[in-house]
Amino acid sequence: QGSQIKQIPTKYSQGESTKFLVLTVVSILCIVGVLLASTVVYCLRHRSHHKLKEKLTNLGTDSGGDATATYQELCRQRMSVKPSVDRPEPISSRINSVSSQFSDGGPAISPSGRGSISSWSEEPAHSNMDISTGHMILSYMEDHLKNKDRLAKEWEALCAYQAEPNATTTGLKNGNAKKNRSTAVVAYDHSRITLKVENSQGNSDYINASPVMDHDPRNPAYIATQGPLPSTVADFWQMVWENGCVVIVMLTPLVENGVKQCYHYWPDEGSNLYHIYEVNLVSEHIWCDDFLVRSFYLKNMQTNETRTVTQFHFLTWLNQNVPETSRTLLDFRRKVNKCYRGRSCPIIVHCSDGAGRTGTYILIDMVLNRMAKGAKEIDIAATLEHLRDQRPGMVQTKDQFEFALTTVAEEVNVILKALPQ
Ligand SMILES: *[C@@H]1O[C@H](CO)[C@@H](O)[C@H](O)[C@H]1NC(C)=O
Ligand SMILES: *[C@@H]1O[C@H](CO)[C@@H](O)[C@H](O)[C@H]1NC(C)=O
Ligand SMILES: CC(=O)N[C@H]1CO[C@H](CO)[C@@H](O)[C@@H]1O
């Protein structure tokens, strides 16, 4: 009995001390692990912070506060964990006149749609959209998208649409013809951007680019253009300069399946001189797999004036195709418009020929801008005809047209969800 009593506690305490030892070792390992991890995180954060600071200081000494401000704004957007909820500034100068189709006569009285969507890196969607109009548009779009037959008929009718006037004699002239990427998409005589001959490299006013108006015929909201060719890069930057542009939307990769889509019209690093326009790459910011943002200094060497130009480059939208998701393109669009804000210069939009992807993007942006301003009626097909009056071939495939409808519906949905119920 005596030995039994002795044995039990001994066994017990032996087990206990082994357990204790194991526990101690495990906890020490845990503590060391946590310490290591936090050191690494601290170092990384410190380094990136330091880099950012360095970049900003370099920028500050470069010249002009505008680029610094733009870049800081971009960084702030990137760094901010919560989506900002500032109200959009109205793009008042862009749409002044009222067309018969879109009754945006009275101001739409509605609570401001300030809201955020799921992930922190996405811009919040906001709008002055009228709630009941929003619901109407949404159910109309959904109905339209479900009824494939009607969609196909509508697309057929759009394909038969003939723009008038439609002469393209200037673009097909000797000396100009070689400046066109595609024979199918040449700027109309009555709706083309003209360059100042005295400043142009080739003593010609032609570039394959079309001003695209919304309502106001004096102020184009966009310039739709082809991706520059090696021989037209100087013309491209001259156009950017002469039209006071500060935002470029690029919707194509440079090369697709070995086929060149667009010339690399900016420097990979440092600066390049294109005729009298010096372009300096200030920063390149990769947002996600789908798009990135570059910031340039553009300098006119004749006058020594400079300007900051921001290029938004969507990488994953292939020719004759649609982007993988509407959501990505919508986020891209919000970033473009946040950078553009209430400026009155046109936004340059280009892909390869400046019609398919370019037309789709402009169609979506134009319709959503009209809705944000409280338009009571939206006719996407009529809007597309309006675009095709100004540049041939805008929106090239039925899929692209359907994508435009889906994307508009999705944005309306997001805005409605963000509105206080
Ligand atoms: C161009 O306009 C003319 C009338 O001026 C018309 O007959 C023709 O079909 C149009 N072409 C295209 C491609 O729209
Ligand atoms: C531009 O700057 C250069 C060098 O700083 C100077 O020589 C030239 O006179 C300037 N031109 C004008 C138009 O200000
Ligand atoms: C109509 C026409 O001549 N198009 C030309 C436009 O420029 C490209 C590139 O130089 C040519 O390949 C096209 O034939």
Side-chain angles (χ1 to χ4, degrees), residues 250-264:
M250 173 171 181
L251 301 167
T252 180
L254 293 168
V255 178
E256 281 176 36
N257 305 318
V259 180
K260 282 189 188 134
Q261 300 289 315
C262 179
Y263 182 67
H264 192 309

Side-chain angles (χ1 to χ4, degrees), residues 63 72 104 127 309 311 330 332 359 395 418:
S63 65
Q72 278 175 336
D104 46 0
S127 162
V309 177
Q311 180 211 43
L330 284 169
F332 177 77
V395 183

Side-chain angles (χ1 to χ4, degrees), residues 2-235:
S3 66
Q4 251 184 5
I5 290 167
K6 255 186 194 165
Q7 254 179 4
I8 294 164
T10 322
K11 249 191 183 170
Y12 189 65
S13 70
Q14 249 179 10
E16 177 98 276
S17 69
T18 320
K19 254 191 206 163
F20 184 71
L21 199 74
V22 169
L23 264 176
T24 315
V25 169
V26 167
S27 358
I28 287 171
L29 281 179
C30 279
I31 289 164
V32 169
V34 166
L35 276 175
L36 268 176
S38 47
T39 314
V40 167
V41 167
Y42 176 78
C43 284
L44 281 179
R45 285 194 65 160
H46 190 74
R47 247 185 61 191
S48 69
H49 190 73
H50 191 71
K51 264 192 190 162
L52 187 69
K53 248 188 174 169
E54 222 172 54
K55 252 187 183 166
L56 288 176
T57 337
N58 284 346
L59 262 171
T61 53
D62 229 52
S63 65
D66 200 4
T68 321
T70 312
Y71 191 69
Q72 278 175 336
E73 171 68 309
L74 284 171
C75 293
R76 227 176 287 131
Q77 286 174 26
R78 183 66 176 166
M79 303 299 277
S80 69
V81 175
K82 279 185 195 161
S84 60
V85 288
D86 50 340
R87 291 281 312 270
E89 281 158 38
I91 308 171
S92 51
S93 54
R94 274 177 53 187
I95 304 166
N96 293 329
S97 53
V98 180
S99 98
S100 54
Q101 230 165 34
F102 301 95
S103 52
D104 46 0
I109 301 157
S110 70
S112 70
R114 49 176 66 186
S116 60
I117 34 172
S118 51
S119 108
W120 61 269
S121 66
E122 289 182 6
E123 294 299 332
H126 34 211
S127 162
N128 294 319
M129 191 179 68
D130 184 77
I131 299 182
S132 59
T133 311
H135 282 293
M136 250 165 49
I137 290 167
L138 194 58
S139 62
Y140 173 79
M141 297 283 180
E142 278 169 356
D143 190 46
H144 221 68
L145 288 168
K146 265 185 231 145
N147 192 338
K148 297 281 175 202
D149 227 33
R150 196 159 80 192
L151 193 73
K153 282 219 181 78
E154 189 162 55
W155 179 249
E156 254 171 56
L158 279 165
C159 289
Y161 180 75
Q162 292 185 336
E164 245 192 282
N166 58 31
T168 54
T169 42
T170 311
L172 295 175
K173 258 203 270 195
N174 267 345
N176 287 342
K178 63 178 190 301
K179 297 177 187 169
N180 302 308
R181 207 167 255 287
S182 126
T183 39
V185 186
V186 176
Y188 290 133
D189 291 344
H190 74 92
S191 166
R192 67 183 182 94
I193 296 288
T194 51
L195 304 173
K196 285 194 181 120
V197 176
E198 64 271 23
N199 293 333
S200 92
Q201 192 172 33
N203 284 318
S204 155
D205 72 355
Y206 181 76
I207 179 169
N208 187 328
S210 316
V212 177
M213 328 283 174
D214 189 346
H215 283 147
D216 185 352
R218 286 156 308 174
N219 293 317
Y222 315 90
I223 292 176
T225 184
Q226 68 180 15
L229 291 160
S231 61
T232 64
V233 192
D235 298 342

Side-chain angles (χ1 to χ4, degrees), residues 268-289:
D268 254 334
E269 56 176 13
S271 65
N272 277 356
L273 186 65
Y274 308 99
H275 187 43
I276 54 165
Y277 304 96
E278 187 189 74
V279 179
N280 216 301
L281 178 69
V282 180
S283 69
E284 187 167 277
H285 189 99
I286 298 167
W287 284 89
C288 56
D289 291 343

